[in-house]
Amino acid sequence: MRRLAENENLVSAGYPIYIVLHGQKGMSPFGGMMSDDQMAAVVNYVRTHFGNDYQDAATAQDVKDSR
């Protein structure tokens, strides 16, 4: 499993949005369990914690567009 700290796949919010929505390998999809706002909050948390400091926040609209 790839670590979250300084993961280059988190540079753009689109990738983690897709992974959280649809799942990947051993990770279950959460798209049906959370609202667009909740999904954006999870992605923003991961992108601003664990040694990450990405300032361009994911929005609920970004999640909606990825569904």
Side-chain angles (χ1 to χ4, degrees):
M1 183 160 106
R2 179 160 246 178
R3 65 188 177 123
L4 293 174
E6 300 173 2
N7 185 330
E8 65 274 2
N9 289 327
L10 299 177
V11 170
S12 169
Y15 179 77
I17 287 172
Y18 180 86
I19 297 302
V20 176
L21 275 173
H22 303 288
Q24 183 182 43
K25 298 181 183 176
M27 181 179 154
S28 299
F30 292 95
M33 298 179 202
M34 292 189 277
S35 70
D36 294 342
D37 287 321
Q38 290 170 321
M39 295 288 295
V42 168
V43 168
N44 289 329
Y45 182 84
V46 170
R47 292 183 74 233
T48 58
H49 290 77
F50 309 107
N52 299 309
D53 191 26
Y54 302 109
Q55 298 299 310
D56 57 324
T59 66
Q61 186 63 48
D62 294 333
V63 176
K64 182 177 180 180
D65 293 343
S66 294
R67 284 192 186 268

